[in-house]
Amino acid sequence: MASLKRLETEFPILDRDFQSFCALRGIFTVQDFLIHDLQSLVADAEQQTSSERFMQVLCVIDGLHRPWSNGVELMEDAQKNKHVLSTGCEGMDFLLRGGLHKGQVTELAGPSSSGKTQFCLLTASTVAYKHMGGVIYLDTGNSFSAKRIAQFLNQISRPAFDEMQPIVLQKVMNSILCQSVFDIFSMFDVLHCLESKLKSQMCRGDNDEILIIIDSISSLITPILGSSGSQGRALMVSAMSLLKKLAHEYNLAVLVTNHTVGGDGGIPKPALGESWKTLTHVRLLLSRDCGSDTYHVSLLKHPSAASGKAAKFIINN
């Protein structure tokens, strides 16, 4: 693995003082650092007169560090409050083994006009109405439509909606919080604020939010890839790590959309590269018949289902 000295140019926080601190403890490479006792390093850093720089690095690593879990703990975690949220679409729910799973990040990829935003709006409507939970909707392209939410609500809640239309509509709309974000740093700001809110709610034993939707996450990540090199990829991984952390620790489902690029033989495949495809729990590929309301979706990845399955469904206008 790379030496700490070689990484100094790319990561200035790893300056000579930090390298000297590590060298005194036999740490010269990233591998040395990763296998060292983190708590021991923290204790040593606290004894230094100029410990602020050391603690900054260690706190970042500690925040990303997740302890090992045994089989019993993993089983308990899988059974504890990891409910499934119906998307409002039977074909999609069938592929997803019931719907969006709490504690997981689901990616929906597809070309332009393939129905990704329509599916996001349908899912937001269904979760807010049927599951009576809060939805955080991050809109990156000014595509959120309150009118479309009302149309979906009319479809999924009849005849109750006809009888109590103003009350039901107001309740659902109040449950969906939409925020426009146009760059990845704005997204980080929103998610960190959400994390603080969720921590406060957890302390009170009250957690209203159950779904995060980002439509589309690729429009935030694509501009930082390529031109930013490894820094762009690091931001991409950090974004997904934060989403996974929120999903796992606060029992949320996360739905993100991605565009497609040409793959082998011109067959569309999800964008954002090889590094990205390992980050999400579930991957779906969506397409639409030209001039039709019929959509096709295939399962590319799922932790508890075989990939390659496909379904067809209709989203009414």
Side-chain angles (χ1 to χ4, degrees):
M1 288 199 178
S3 66
L4 297 180
K5 185 175 182 179
R6 286 179 57 190
L7 293 173
E8 183 180 358
T9 303
E10 188 173 354
F11 302 100
I13 196 172
L14 305 179
D15 59 12
R16 290 185 178 182
D17 289 340
F18 182 81
Q19 293 172 37
S20 298
F21 170 81
C22 292
L24 289 173
R25 290 151 185 84
I27 300 173
F28 299 96
T29 67
V30 174
Q31 183 177 14
D32 294 338
F33 194 94
L34 292 175
I35 64 176
H36 207 88
D37 183 2
L38 182 61
Q39 297 304 319
S40 174
L41 287 177
V42 171
D44 288 349
E46 290 175 342
Q47 305 302 317
Q48 302 293 319
T49 56
S50 57
S51 62
E52 183 179 354
R53 177 60 57 87
F54 308 134
M55 295 306 296
Q56 287 177 350
V57 177
L58 296 175
C59 284
V60 170
I61 295 172
D62 188 42
L64 296 174
H65 177 265
R66 189 172 288 174
W68 289 88
S69 300
N70 61 36
V72 173
E73 291 170 336
L74 290 171
M75 180 64 73
E76 290 176 349
D77 179 69
Q79 295 174 344
K80 181 182 178 182
N81 298 324
K82 301 302 184 195
H83 300 306
V84 178
L85 305 177
S86 172
T87 64
C89 173
E90 291 185 4
M92 192 72 82
D93 285 350
F94 172 76
L95 278 185
L96 295 173
R97 300 177 68 87
L100 300 176
H101 289 247
K102 288 186 176 182
Q104 294 183 358
V105 178
T106 298
E107 173 195 3
L108 179 65
S112 177
S113 301
S114 61
K116 300 186 298 294
T117 295
Q118 294 303 308
F119 178 75
C120 288
L121 295 172
L122 173 60
T123 301
S125 306
T126 303
V127 169
Y129 176 71
K130 290 188 175 180
H131 298 280
M132 296 180 289
V135 178
I136 306 298
Y137 199 113
L138 303 190
D139 179 14
T140 70
N142 289 323
S143 57
F144 181 85
S145 171
K147 181 178 179 180
R148 192 67 172 130
I149 293 285
Q151 292 174 344
F152 282 132
L153 189 59
N154 186 37
Q155 296 172 16
I156 64 181
S157 62
R158 281 183 171 175
F161 187 75
D162 292 336
E163 299 173 359
M164 303 179 65
Q165 179 177 4
I167 299 175
V168 173
L169 182 59
Q170 182 177 7
K171 184 176 181 180
V172 169
M173 289 299 187
N174 285 337
S175 298
I176 302 175
L177 302 179
C178 181
Q179 177 72 47
S180 295
V181 291
F182 301 113
D183 61 72
I184 194 167
F185 302 104
S186 298
M187 184 190 74
F188 275 121
D189 289 341
V190 172
L191 294 179
H192 284 305
C193 288
L194 174 61
E195 183 177 17
S196 297
K197 178 183 177 182
L198 292 171
K199 284 181 179 178
S200 299
Q201 290 179 344
M202 180 173 286
C203 292
R204 300 194 306 266
D206 179 27
N207 188 6
D208 297 327
E209 282 72 29
I210 58 176
L211 174 63
I212 299 173
I213 295 175
I214 304 179
D215 181 31
S216 79
I217 198 167
S218 56
S219 66
L220 303 180
I221 294 177
T222 299
I224 65 171
L225 295 178
S227 59
S228 300
S230 59
Q231 184 179 4
R233 290 192 293 274
L235 284 170
M236 177 181 74
V237 173
S238 295
M240 183 52 67
S241 296
L242 179 55
L243 288 172
K244 284 178 153 180
K245 178 184 178 183
L246 293 174
H248 176 77
E249 294 188 1
Y250 301 103
N251 201 32
L252 306 172
V254 178
L255 173 64
V256 301
T257 65
N258 186 6
H259 65 279
T260 56
V261 294
D264 295 336
I267 300 175
K269 67 176 183 178
L272 301 182
E274 293 298 307
S275 299
W276 170 262
K277 75 177 186 180
T278 65
L279 299 177
T280 58
H281 296 97
V282 179
R283 305 192 86 193
L284 298 160
L285 184 60
L286 184 67
S287 62
R288 180 182 182 183
D289 290 344
C290 184
S292 169
D293 293 331
T294 301
Y295 299 82
H296 301 268
V297 61
S298 56
L299 186 65
L300 303 181
K301 176 184 175 184
H302 196 289
S304 56
S307 60
K309 292 184 178 180
K312 181 168 65 175
F313 60 91
I314 295 175
I315 298 180
N316 295 320
N317 292 320

